[in-house]
């Protein structure tokens, strides 16, 4: 038995849901796939798959074995790609995770531009403002904002974005413009649920003096894009990366408040699983993204 062929047959059958689909993908016959997986089960002395006429289901042993088998198959694929030409390496699927609010502002433009540059590449983009497990979800790369503490990951800093407080002129005309951070306590505040500072807003002036103000949220949302739109609608004050809201400022829909006070910068990171080779397509994606963000003035 060719162990690598058997492992590939097993992984593809699970991923594609049938022996026939795995056979078509690997360019062999369906009986060959069935025979390879049966031989693998005999070698291991356990059943990996439960087969019916319509579906394949992993056994408990199959669930455990799949993790290791998939890793072996992917490492072999990566080894093959590492010695191919650059053009050949810029193909296949690139799985990327991006924050929703971060992506909606400008990154659609970047993704379109990157895809046009590398048309053979399939971009599999996951948008989520919740924590995404890069290792568990088999992602090639994730873009994260804020501090990262996970020893399973390689973390590459891309830069840091300036953050500030914004509100609509309509809201400020009605509620008044804060002159000092302490004034925030009497204003409607639009709070991002997962922010590390909770219901306090720490601001620092040019002399290094820091003031932390406890605010009273009028709206709490786990999506930064929704908070920005709420601020444009006149519902209160929100914290945002300045480059993301610049078009609202230019259009007169938002204005910065307390410009003499600074909220700490927001670091951008690209993260990869530490136990995997970093393919050329991932490195080029990250380099192109960093250049795009710099071009758009994202970094402080």
């Amino acid at each position: 038995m060719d162990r690598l062929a058997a492992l590939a047959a097993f992984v593809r059958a699970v991923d594609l849901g049938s022996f026939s689909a795995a056979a078509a993908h690997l360019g062999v016959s369906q009986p060959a796939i069935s025979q390879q997986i049966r031989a693998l089960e005999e070698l291991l002395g356990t059943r990996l798959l439960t087969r019916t006429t319509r579906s394949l289901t992993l056994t408990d042993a199959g669930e455990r074995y799949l993790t290791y088998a998939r890793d072996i198959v992917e490492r072999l694929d990566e080894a093959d790609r590492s010695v191919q030409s650059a053009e050949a390496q810029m193909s296949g699927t690139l799985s990327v995770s991006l924050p929703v609010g971060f992506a909606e502002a400008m990154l659609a433009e970047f993704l379109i531009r990157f895809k046009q540059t590398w048309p053979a590449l399939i971009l599999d983009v996951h948008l989520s403002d919740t924590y995404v497990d890069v290792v568990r979800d088999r992602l090639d790369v994730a873009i994260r904002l804020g501090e990262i503490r996970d020893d399973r990951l390689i973390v590459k800093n891309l830069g840091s974005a300036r953050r500030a407080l914004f509100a609509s002129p309509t809201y400020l005309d009605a509620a008044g413009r804060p002159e000092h951070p302490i004034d925030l306590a009497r204003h409607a505040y639009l709070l991002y649920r997962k922010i590390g500072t909770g219901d306090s807003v720490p601001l620092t002036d040019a002399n290094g003096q820091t003031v932390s103000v406890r605010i009273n949220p009028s709206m709490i949302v786990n999506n930064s894009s929704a908070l920005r739109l709420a601020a444009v609608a006149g519902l209160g004050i929100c914290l945002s990366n300045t480059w993301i809201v610049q078009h609202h400022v230019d259009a007169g829909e938002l204005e910065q408040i307390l410009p003499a006070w600074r909220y700490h910068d927001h670091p951008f990171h690209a993260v990869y699983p530490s136990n995997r080779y970093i393919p050329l397509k991932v490195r080029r994606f990250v380099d192109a993204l960093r250049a795009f963000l710099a071009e758009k003035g994202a970094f402080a």
Side-chain angles (χ1 to χ4, degrees):
M1 177 185 61
D2 183 336
R3 288 288 297 276
L4 288 177
L7 289 175
F10 171 60
V11 171
R12 299 304 176 223
V14 172
D15 288 347
L16 299 175
S18 71
F19 286 177
S20 58
H25 179 83
L26 295 172
V28 298
S29 67
Q30 181 175 335
I33 295 291
S34 179
Q35 182 179 2
Q36 286 172 329
I37 294 177
R38 188 180 305 111
L40 185 60
E41 290 176 326
E42 290 175 356
L43 176 68
L44 297 171
T46 188
R47 180 68 65 84
L48 300 174
L49 293 168
T50 300
R51 308 158 179 80
T52 68
T53 56
R54 295 188 176 182
S55 65
L56 299 175
T57 305
L58 285 165
T59 64
D60 290 342
E63 288 274 9
R64 295 192 299 272
Y65 195 71
L66 177 64
T67 300
Y68 297 99
R70 192 192 303 280
D71 187 60
I72 291 169
V73 171
E74 288 185 353
R75 284 176 179 266
L76 181 61
D77 289 343
E78 288 168 355
D80 291 344
R81 284 194 294 269
S82 71
V83 296
Q84 294 174 338
S85 67
E87 289 72 19
Q89 293 183 58
M90 296 302 293
S91 61
T93 300
L94 177 63
S95 298
V96 182
S97 173
L98 299 166
V100 174
F102 175 55
E104 285 181 342
M106 288 188 192
L107 286 190
E109 177 187 344
F110 167 74
L111 293 171
I112 292 168
R113 187 188 300 182
F114 190 77
K115 173 63 177 175
Q116 289 171 336
T117 303
W118 305 107
L121 199 62
I122 301 170
L123 289 179
D124 183 9
V125 181
H126 306 250
L127 299 180
S128 175
D129 275 339
T130 61
Y131 176 86
V132 176
D133 191 319
V134 177
V135 176
R136 182 198 63 205
D137 295 341
R138 314 297 300 180
L139 295 169
D140 292 308
V141 60
I143 304 302
R144 290 187 182 167
L145 283 69
E147 299 301 322
I148 299 173
R149 296 179 179 85
D150 191 333
D151 58 11
R152 301 173 304 159
L153 302 175
I154 297 172
V155 180
K156 181 175 182 178
N157 181 261
L158 303 182
S160 293
R162 186 180 177 192
R163 289 188 284 187
L165 298 171
F166 296 88
S168 73
T170 302
Y171 170 82
L172 294 171
D173 288 344
R177 285 166 173 77
E179 298 180 357
H180 188 274
I182 199 70
D183 296 336
L184 294 174
R186 63 178 178 81
H187 279 270
Y189 194 91
L190 309 173
L191 181 66
Y192 180 65
R193 180 180 297 279
K194 296 182 180 297
I195 196 165
T197 51
D199 60 357
S200 294
V201 178
L203 296 171
T204 304
D205 68 8
N207 298 318
Q209 175 190 2
T210 297
V211 176
S212 184
V213 181
R214 181 69 60 85
I215 47 85
N216 298 300
S218 61
M219 187 174 180
I220 305 172
V221 184
N222 66 348
N223 180 280
S224 57
S225 180
L227 289 177
R228 289 193 294 272
L229 293 176
V232 170
L235 298 185
I237 296 170
C238 80
L239 176 73
S240 178
N241 289 336
T242 57
W243 70 282
I244 290 180
V245 299
Q246 188 58 50
H247 65 291
H248 290 301
V249 174
D250 293 342
E253 298 170 329
L254 290 176
E255 66 179 74
Q256 184 179 345
I257 64 170
L258 299 172
W261 293 80
R262 185 163 182 154
Y263 197 95
H264 59 83
D265 292 340
H266 209 189
F268 289 65
H269 298 104
V271 298
Y272 330 92
S274 61
N275 64 341
R276 295 175 59 188
Y277 164 78
I278 302 174
L280 178 64
K281 59 188 176 184
V282 173
R283 299 197 301 272
R284 283 190 170 169
F285 180 88
V286 172
D287 289 344
L289 176 59
R290 178 167 52 186
F292 176 83
L293 292 173
E295 172 193 325
K296 295 298 182 181
F299 299 136

